[in-house]
Amino acid sequence: MKLFIDSANIEEIKKANTLGVLDGVTTNPSLLSKEKQEPVAQLKKICKEVDGPVSAEVIALGSDEIVGEAKKLSKLSSNIVIKIPSTVEGLKATKKLSSLNIKTNLTLCFSASQALLVAKVGATYVSPFVGRLDDISFEGMDLIRDIKLIYERYEIKTQIIVASIRHPLHFLDAARIGADVATVPFAVIEKLMQHPLTDIGIKRFLEDWNNLKGK
Ligand code: E4P
């Protein structure tokens, strides 16, 4: 499973990149607004920092406007992927962008029927949001299972990005189900390698080693 970082913060992206496990970045308007920088300049910086795909979201809602904005954003860097809401207008725009070989990530996906339709218009990625479904007492991971089943049944090439990840178990479940990508906030990435028994084990090994030195 590929690991993307869900962040627009350069320091977080740099730190995650040094781990050697980072495959890409997803941003959204809320994440970019937290950075208090001009968003296009920030996106350019992010694209320079990583080799993998960087999702940049359109603000436009009408299909023609989405296509216009996507064309501009795609010129920022060769690794830009255009993030588009999973709406009727988003579908029309994605169909057009697919014909222009512009990569897309259909975001705000909350149902398997949305995921099937975005695949039919050639979306490169679909982003179902598990955390936001959990927040309203729906099992977010059930949606990932449904989409995976449907995509396998019809040999669909659209890649599933598990988004709105809130904790390490979301990441683990995404891998168990066989999602293509998990996009993970930095705070959760940091937790993925943590284990108290690893820390206790290191402490004990060092204590035993130091006791031996006295012999
Ligand atoms: C990813 O593409 C989304 O932007 C992100 O995962 C949303 O996460 P949130 O629900 O924690 O805001």
Side-chain angles (χ1 to χ4, degrees):
M1 182 172 70
K2 289 180 194 146
L3 171 65
F4 290 0
I5 184 169
D6 195 28
S7 175
N9 181 283
I10 288 290
E11 292 316 310
E12 289 184 351
I13 293 167
K14 277 185 182 166
K15 279 190 202 162
N17 218 1
T18 59
L19 303 179
V21 292
L22 192 66
D23 300 298
V25 180
T26 53
T27 70
N28 64 37
S30 304
L31 291 170
L32 279 162
S33 103
K34 273 193 353 197
E35 298 310 308
K36 312 239 179 291
Q37 304 289 325
E38 199 286 310
V40 169
Q42 188 71 4
L43 283 167
K44 279 188 188 164
K45 270 195 209 167
I46 295 170
C47 289
K48 279 197 189 135
E49 211 52 57
V50 291
D51 296 330
V54 174
S55 288
E57 190 157 342
V58 295
I59 302 301
L61 297 176
S63 63
D64 289 342
E65 292 76 17
I66 292 173
V67 170
E69 204 181 333
K71 283 181 180 168
K72 280 187 201 152
L73 283 171
S74 66
K75 291 200 177 87
L76 294 183
S77 176
S78 58
N79 53 345
I80 284 277
V81 173
I82 308 302
K83 218 170 170 193
I84 300 169
S86 301
T87 60
V88 167
E89 292 301 304
L91 271 186
K92 292 188 219 163
T94 304
K95 177 89 181 167
K96 174 74 186 165
L97 294 169
S98 300
S99 74
L100 299 173
N101 285 322
I102 293 179
K103 290 189 174 151
T104 51
N105 172 0
L106 274 285
T107 189
L108 291 167
C109 172
F110 293 98
S111 77
S113 49
Q114 286 176 314
L116 179 54
L117 293 196
V118 306
K120 285 178 71 74
V121 290
T124 318
Y125 301 98
V126 64
S127 287
F129 279 30
V130 291
R132 294 195 195 184
L133 280 170
D134 288 355
D135 287 345
I136 57 160
S137 304
F138 282 82
E139 288 279 356
M141 281 298 162
D142 284 351
L143 174 59
I144 307 301
R145 273 184 210 97
D146 278 354
I147 298 173
K148 177 76 183 166
L149 179 87
I150 292 166
Y151 279 14
E152 275 184 354
R153 180 163 297 161
Y154 295 105
E155 296 179 2
I156 284 168
K157 299 275 178 289
T158 301
Q159 295 181 51
I160 304 167
I161 302 181
V162 178
S164 189
I165 281 184
R166 301 276 165 80
H167 49 70
L169 262 186
H170 276 150
F171 175 80
L172 191 59
D173 282 338
R176 284 184 178 129
I177 296 166
D180 302 282
V181 185
T183 188
V184 184
F186 183 68
V188 179
I189 292 180
E190 281 187 309
K191 288 182 186 159
L192 297 178
M193 278 298 283
Q194 284 172 9
H195 200 290
L197 290 179
T198 305
D199 299 337
I200 291 168
I202 291 170
K203 191 169 171 282
R204 194 173 299 159
F205 282 154
L206 288 178
E207 279 167 5
D208 290 344
W209 186 254
N210 287 332
N211 285 339
L212 180 69
K213 276 201 298 193
K215 303 279 179 268

